[in-house]
Amino acid sequence: ILKYIPMQYPLISEYISAIKDAEDNFATLTNLRPVLDLSGNPVMSSGNFAVVFKMEDISDGKLYAVKCFRREQEGRDGAYRLISDELQYVSSNYIADIKYLDKELFVDTKQSVDNEFPILLMDWVEGKTLDKYIYDNIDNYLNIYNLFYSFCHMCKWMISQPFAHGDIKPDNIIVNKYGEITLVDYDGMYVPSMKGQQARELGSPDFRHPQRTINDFDEHIDDLSLVSLLLTLFVAMEDNNMFKRLSSEDACILHEKDHMNISCSELYKALYALSHIPYFSRILSLYNIVLAEKTIDINVFDVLLKELLQTAEYKYACRICNGKDKTIINKREAFLIFDKLSNNGYRNAKMCLSCCYKYGYGCAKNMKHSKAILEDPIFSDDFRGIIENYGYNCENEVVFMAKTTDSDEVQNVATQYNPGNCYAKAKGLEENYEKANGHEYVR
């Protein structure tokens, strides 16, 4: 019986020495040079299993990350070949290009009889880890909104793929200055050609399913981490004070101890304070499902993500239209978003589009078009009557509120915006922008 003997790897200091003379020590990547910091040392980061160097191709200036391994992992060579074969056909900003090169780097080391070692070549991803980005921007609604929007799109893309990352956590999510997301570190990735194999690693305890074993290795191994992070980002966007109170250093709310015994989790119970916010209860429900079943129905998840994306776009458009965030007021962009969402049947956006045409927000005034939008069958007669009779010409907010309490759909839409319009435009009420802001008026 042949016994597997782990390969011994160089020390970090020995890797640094090799990288400093990269042109002499790489077998094929002779155009790469280390990017140096202000002290003249290679820019690098290290963990328990690897050290990563920032490199530049002197022929074209392109930046790369070179990952050098510090410990042996049985099956890694074969796994990375399969991963590379799968990802070479994937074109997405969510995944970085990678190439596994065996015996690529010569290292003068005393740790091993070998002196040629494998490396993983990746595109360099500039940005901050998810946790740092959240904390640096937690008081900037638009940046957090943009992050949430990007994360929802990433989730939609990931659940449609036949592969899984295997260790989705804040450290492995890089966010650039535009709020765009890229996943890094593919050591635990699953691809279809690995079907039937056991997992090489289980991912971080705080972000994996509490009952996950090495035999759980398929396209669903990211389900809990995706829903858990979606929950965290939703709280950060909707109530940053609650987020600050409940989140930990990694910018997440629920962790291993919560997953293990959710019925006793005080943090989980605290989240119910947000149950009145549309869609939040559904995210919690999905979290409960994946805890119970290890996987979620991708079709159900996909529908929720589409609705979350529409709602996020709608809220963003309202903010940039009404000037709630003083640094960004863009009525034209808001109008275009309302128009797009209206064409997709989003009722709240249709109402705002009607207001845009009525007052000329981001478009030419067109009263005929404004009224025609409200004739859409998507609105009930009760709703249209209140919008037309009270929303635009409200003489008494008390009467307005009394009328709207008779209809849930009116309460959810009309009461949120039209009292604000009345205060902001002095439509039967004294102009009061403080109260108008409280109603998210369309400015």
Side-chain angles (χ1 to χ4, degrees):
I1 298 175
L2 295 176
K3 184 179 180 180
Y4 173 73
I5 301 175
M7 182 178 183
Q8 300 300 309
Y9 284 81
L11 301 173
I12 292 180
S13 58
E14 293 171 332
Y15 272 130
I16 292 174
S17 296
I19 288 294
K20 282 183 175 179
D21 296 317
E23 65 272 26
D24 297 324
N25 293 321
F26 279 126
T28 61
L29 305 175
T30 53
N31 282 337
L32 295 189
R33 300 290 185 274
V35 175
L36 305 178
D37 60 22
L38 296 177
S39 300
N41 296 314
V43 175
M44 53 169 278
S45 61
S46 62
N48 289 329
F49 295 94
V51 55
V52 178
F53 294 94
K54 185 177 183 180
M55 310 292 289
E56 180 182 6
D57 189 328
I58 59 173
S59 66
D60 58 12
K62 185 175 180 179
L63 296 175
Y64 291 92
V66 168
K67 186 173 187 176
C68 303
F69 302 100
R70 297 179 58 195
R71 296 184 186 179
E72 178 69 329
Q73 184 182 39
E74 187 174 1
R76 180 170 57 207
D77 291 5
Y80 261 120
R81 289 189 179 93
L82 294 176
I83 293 169
S84 297
D85 288 345
E86 176 77 24
L87 296 187
Q88 69 175 315
Y89 301 108
V90 175
S91 178
S92 172
N93 291 332
Y94 301 126
I95 297 288
D97 289 338
I98 66 168
K99 183 184 292 186
Y100 184 81
L101 300 171
D102 195 20
K103 297 183 180 300
E104 174 64 25
L105 181 63
F106 174 86
V107 183
D108 186 8
T109 177
K110 297 180 180 179
Q111 309 305 309
S112 171
V113 295
D114 298 300
N115 53 29
E116 293 177 329
F117 297 91
I119 63 101
L120 188 68
L121 180 70
M122 304 170 285
D123 285 346
W124 180 262
V125 181
E126 194 68 53
K128 300 177 180 179
T129 58
L130 180 70
D131 51 339
K132 181 168 176 53
Y133 186 91
I134 292 174
Y135 279 124
D136 286 351
N137 293 275
I138 190 57
D139 291 318
N140 186 322
Y141 173 85
L142 291 181
N143 283 355
I144 295 297
Y145 151 80
N146 196 37
L147 177 62
F148 177 80
Y149 189 74
S150 296
F151 189 82
C152 285
H153 271 292
M154 189 271 290
C155 287
K156 278 181 61 63
W157 183 79
M158 282 296 295
I159 64 174
S160 71
Q161 302 304 312
F163 56 80
H165 180 276
D167 191 19
I168 292 181
K169 60 179 181 177
D171 281 353
N172 289 338
I173 301 173
I174 304 299
V175 186
N176 68 16
K177 61 183 179 180
Y178 304 109
E180 298 167 338
I181 289 171
T182 303
L183 299 174
V184 297
D185 192 351
Y186 311 138
D187 288 354
M189 179 170 276
Y190 166 83
V191 296
S193 54
M194 295 175 180
K195 186 174 183 179
Q197 295 184 14
Q198 292 182 327
R200 299 174 302 282
E201 58 179 63
L202 295 180
S204 303
D206 285 335
F207 299 95
R208 70 185 183 211
H209 195 282
Q211 297 172 359
R212 184 181 169 187
T213 70
I214 58 173
N215 294 318
D216 297 304
F217 195 47
D218 56 25
E219 66 273 21
H220 290 289
I221 55 177
D222 295 330
D223 287 5
L224 181 68
S225 53
L226 290 175
V227 176
S228 179
L229 286 169
L230 183 70
L231 190 69
T232 290
L233 289 172
F234 192 92
V235 175
M237 180 177 69
E238 292 291 345
D239 192 333
N240 63 353
N241 288 324
M242 175 175 280
F243 172 83
K244 292 173 185 177
R245 189 171 72 252
L246 300 183
S247 63
S248 59
E249 289 183 2
D250 62 7
C252 288
I253 295 175
L254 299 176
H255 295 86
E256 183 182 21
K257 63 179 181 180
D258 304 295
H259 307 324
M260 292 289 290
N261 194 353
I262 198 66
S263 62
C264 296
S265 169
E266 294 301 321
L267 291 172
Y268 181 80
K269 293 175 184 176
L271 291 174
Y272 274 94
L274 297 181
S275 293
H276 65 284
I277 298 176
Y279 301 110
F280 186 72
S281 293
R282 288 173 62 186
I283 300 175
L284 272 180
S285 295
L286 274 183
Y287 172 79
N288 293 334
I289 290 172
V290 73
L291 272 184
E293 302 180 4
K294 286 192 178 180
T295 64
I296 51 177
D297 186 322
I298 62 171
N299 294 318
V300 173
F301 196 18
D302 186 56
V303 169
L304 174 61
L305 289 169
K306 287 178 180 177
E307 292 172 343
L308 285 173
L309 284 166
Q310 281 193 328
T311 300
E313 277 194 289
Y314 170 69
K315 289 186 176 182
Y316 169 72
C318 290
R319 294 183 84 98
I320 64 173
C321 187
N322 68 27
K324 190 166 185 178
D325 293 280
K326 301 300 182 183
T327 57
I328 299 180
I329 302 175
N330 191 332
K331 291 181 172 57
R332 179 60 181 172
E333 183 183 359
F335 167 80
L336 293 174
I337 293 173
F338 291 141
D339 186 49
K340 181 187 77 170
L341 293 177
S342 294
N343 290 332
N344 291 331
Y346 196 83
R347 186 176 60 183
N348 291 22
K350 282 182 177 288
M351 185 195 72
C352 290
L353 187 67
S354 175
C355 289
C356 286
Y357 279 117
K358 182 177 179 67
Y359 297 113
Y361 299 152
C363 61
K365 286 186 178 182
N366 189 325
M367 286 297 297
K368 184 178 180 180
H369 202 166
S370 176
K371 290 181 177 294
I373 291 173
L374 292 180
E375 292 300 319
D376 192 302
I378 200 171
F379 299 122
S380 68
D381 291 338
D382 182 39
F383 178 88
R384 278 194 297 273
I386 292 176
I387 291 295
E388 293 172 351
N389 296 329
Y390 292 90
Y392 294 149
N393 299 293
C394 183
E395 296 180 356
N396 187 311
E397 188 189 22
V398 176
V399 175
F400 176 85
M401 290 298 188
K403 289 281 187 181
T404 58
T405 55
D406 294 333
S407 169
D408 288 339
E409 66 174 333
V410 174
Q411 180 132 14
N412 290 337
V413 181
T415 59
Q416 188 179 5
Y417 290 92
N418 288 282
N421 281 336
C422 294
Y423 278 122
K425 300 297 180 182
K427 297 285 186 179
L429 297 171
E430 183 179 351
E431 184 177 292
N432 188 321
Y433 277 93
E434 183 177 349
K435 286 188 176 182
N437 274 323
H439 287 291
E440 290 261 273
Y441 69 100
V442 180
R443 189 172 181 179

